[in-house]
Amino acid sequence: MRDIGHYIGGKTVSGTSGRTADVFNPSTGDVQARVALASADEVRAAVANARAAQPEWAAQNPQRRARVMMKFLQLVQDEFESLAVLLASEHGKTVPDAKGDIQRGLEVVEFACGIPHLLKGEYTEGAGPGIDVYSMRQPLGVVAGITPFNFPAMIPLWKAAPALACGNAFILKPSERDPSVPMRLAELFVEAGLPKGVLNVVNGDKTAVDAILTDPDIMAVGFVGSSDIAQYIYSEAARTGKRAQCFGGAKNHAIIMPDADMDQAVDALIGAGYGSAGERCMAISAAVPVGEKTADILVEKLIPRVESLKIGPSTDSSADYGPLVTAAAVKRVRSYIDKGVEEGARLVVDGRGFKMQGYEDGFFIGSCLFDEVTPDMTIYKEEIFGPVLSVVRAKTYEEALSLATDHEYGNGVAIFTRDGDAARDFTTRVNVGMVGVNVPIPVPVAYHTFGGWKRSGFGDLNQHGPDSIRFYTKTKTVTARWPSGVKEGAEFVIPTMG
Ligand code: NAD
């Protein structure tokens, strides 16, 4: 049995709390490792270690910090294959999909290589007589990231890379379900030249999270996970005076207009609905065809495609998707499917009876497709996070638009149409943070920002792109006057530049 501890001060250390969690191989159902769950004291020690290491890192010029990012990119490339296999073995996604997880993370590291440019402040010459004003961006100190199971490489990198490039020390609390890749990424950062202690990984559960939230030396918390916990972390961070950005769950709609290329839309829905077994915060879970005819064509085309999806263990690169992450996840998804049937939705493809031959104890579930789902149903209101797509028939474009706009989640949305005017109206009016036009999973590129609205995101700054630099730095603004005039006497009226 492999034991996974923590990564603190540039080395792996064993847990001392006596508490552990099982890490499964979702394809076989076997426990493959035990991960330590940190106590509050272990978190405190990791933060103290990071705090001691941070000033020296912040004092390195930004070009040097960028070089660490560049070297890290190369080291990850060198072991891309084995990292993807490791990731897939704990998460359950297929190896090609695991490569995408790593690649999407690396793209934010590439963005962070531009840190010398990104950290440049603003300057106004002659803001008043002999007065210049300039601003600079300084690191916050020690910051923390709490990340979910579904992207164990991408999301830790989305947080750590900009935070570190800005000169902060970073405490990562990854998901206890798939901790091995985050641990290895931290080792590779140190191998790339990051001073020891600047990136510490503390494994754990709510105890570790609460210790992070109350630690006086942690200045900011970035979270990604389910919405109730995102809101809890956001409010606790506010209570303890920390900066916070907390991203939550989703119910992403795809609107299919009558003029859409139906084959393209079906392809998009299959990939975005069932890829990674639907365990993506940007998965499409509600397909909204506009008009009965569009709906009939769509469902007719979807059924054979959903029925023929290939499910396999994470080692089968030809599989469309693998198992869910845990047995508890399978139970939760199954109960949603049962509930959908109970509430009157039409289950036109029923994957509940699926068994993976040779992997009978794995956490597999077959693909499901619901038709005639209505907005009052639980399967529409809540996030299922499994290979289940719901077709919600809308009579008009306005009805489809308001479904996406009125839903409590607002992460991603897509419209499929050939009409530029409809697309433009939709992108302007929809109350959702990320919008795709004939693009099913509109995850923005690394140099733009990622963030959902409503219950999909708490906080005002998004992840990666320019917002990440704003989040991980504080702005200092200097008003300077040289050299004469200072001794002319006290000023009792608030200075104006007029
Ligand atoms: P989760 O909320 O269960 O866990 C996320 C993190 O919070 C983990 O590190 C976990 O250890 C910690 N945690 C769990 N319970 C806690 C508690 N009671 N108190 C404090 N911390 C706790 O989420 P998950 O199951 O790992 O991930 C799936 C969820 O994440 C889905 O809802 C998905 O939509 C969401 N997600 C959102 C985005 C986004 O960008 N909006 C991206 C990926 C995933």
Side-chain angles (χ1 to χ4, degrees), residues 153-337:
M154 180 182 89
I155 296 180
L157 289 175
W158 280 11
K159 300 204 171 296
L164 294 171
C166 288
N168 298 288
F170 193 79
I171 303 289
L172 174 65
K173 205 304 282 170
S175 170
E176 62 274 42
R177 286 175 237 166
D178 44 15
S180 292
V181 167
M183 290 282 282
R184 181 68 191 137
L185 292 174
E187 284 173 357
L188 291 176
F189 261 120
V190 169
E191 229 175 275
L194 190 72
K196 292 173 180 168
V198 172
L199 171 58
N200 290 337
V201 182
V202 182
N203 284 307
D205 56 4
K206 181 171 165 53
T207 303
V209 171
D210 286 341
I212 286 172
L213 289 169
T214 50
D215 194 295
D217 288 331
I218 291 182
M219 298 294 132
V221 180
F223 173 86
V224 178
S226 47
S227 290
D228 288 348
I229 298 171
Q231 188 165 15
Y232 164 73
I233 289 180
Y234 191 60
S235 50
E236 281 301 288
R239 192 179 62 76
T240 56
K242 301 184 195 317
R243 195 178 279 207
Q245 52 171 199
C246 301
F247 299 93
K251 194 77 182 179
N252 305 311
H253 294 58
I255 314 301
I256 297 98
M257 296 297 286
D259 66 350
D261 179 324
M262 292 304 274
D263 290 325
Q264 189 204 40
V266 167
D267 267 345
L269 288 174
I270 292 292
Y274 299 92
S276 202
E279 291 177 320
R280 289 182 184 142
C281 67
M282 289 293 272
I284 297 275
S285 48
V288 187
V290 174
E292 280 304 311
K293 199 170 147 217
T294 316
D296 291 342
I297 300 170
L298 184 76
V299 172
E300 194 188 307
K301 281 180 182 281
L302 277 172
I303 290 173
R305 294 290 300 276
V306 176
E307 284 172 340
S308 60
L309 280 165
K310 186 173 178 217
I311 305 166
S314 60
T315 44
D316 178 358
S317 292
S318 69
D320 295 319
Y321 71 83
L324 295 186
V325 66
T326 54
V330 174
K331 200 166 157 220
R332 205 198 62 245
V333 172
R334 280 189 74 99
S335 77
Y336 271 118
I337 301 164

Side-chain angles (χ1 to χ4, degrees), residues 6-154:
H6 313 292
Y7 186 78
I8 298 169
K11 57 180 192 294
T12 45
V13 298
S14 302
T16 56
S17 71
R19 293 169 60 237
T20 59
D22 290 338
V23 177
F24 291 91
N25 177 340
S27 300
T28 60
D30 295 338
V31 176
Q32 57 166 317
R34 255 188 322 243
V35 62
L37 301 175
S39 64
D41 285 347
E42 287 172 291
V43 172
R44 180 86 273 278
V47 176
N49 178 276
R51 191 181 169 190
Q54 189 264 338
E56 189 197 320
W57 171 241
Q60 290 198 18
N61 74 50
Q63 268 178 301
R64 285 176 190 248
R65 296 203 299 267
R67 283 184 201 127
V68 172
M69 298 289 142
M70 292 176 204
K71 179 75 182 165
F72 174 80
L73 286 171
Q74 185 203 323
L75 294 178
V76 175
Q77 287 300 344
D78 292 347
E79 56 182 78
F80 207 87
E81 190 68 38
S82 61
L83 274 170
V85 170
L86 180 62
L87 193 160
S89 81
E90 290 185 356
H91 177 284
K93 61 177 75 175
T94 62
V95 173
D97 198 29
K99 287 182 180 167
D101 186 332
I102 299 167
Q103 179 58 30
R104 273 290 187 155
L106 290 186
E107 287 168 13
V108 172
V109 183
E110 287 167 354
F111 169 73
C113 290
I115 199 67
H117 175 73
L118 294 165
L119 277 182
K120 285 193 293 197
E122 294 164 337
Y123 189 90
T124 301
E125 182 195 6
I131 292 180
D132 304 321
V133 178
Y134 59 96
S135 63
M136 44 197 176
R137 296 198 161 276
Q138 297 190 328
L140 302 176
V142 182
V143 299
I146 300 157
T147 55
F149 82 86
N150 69 327
F151 281 99
M154 180 182 89

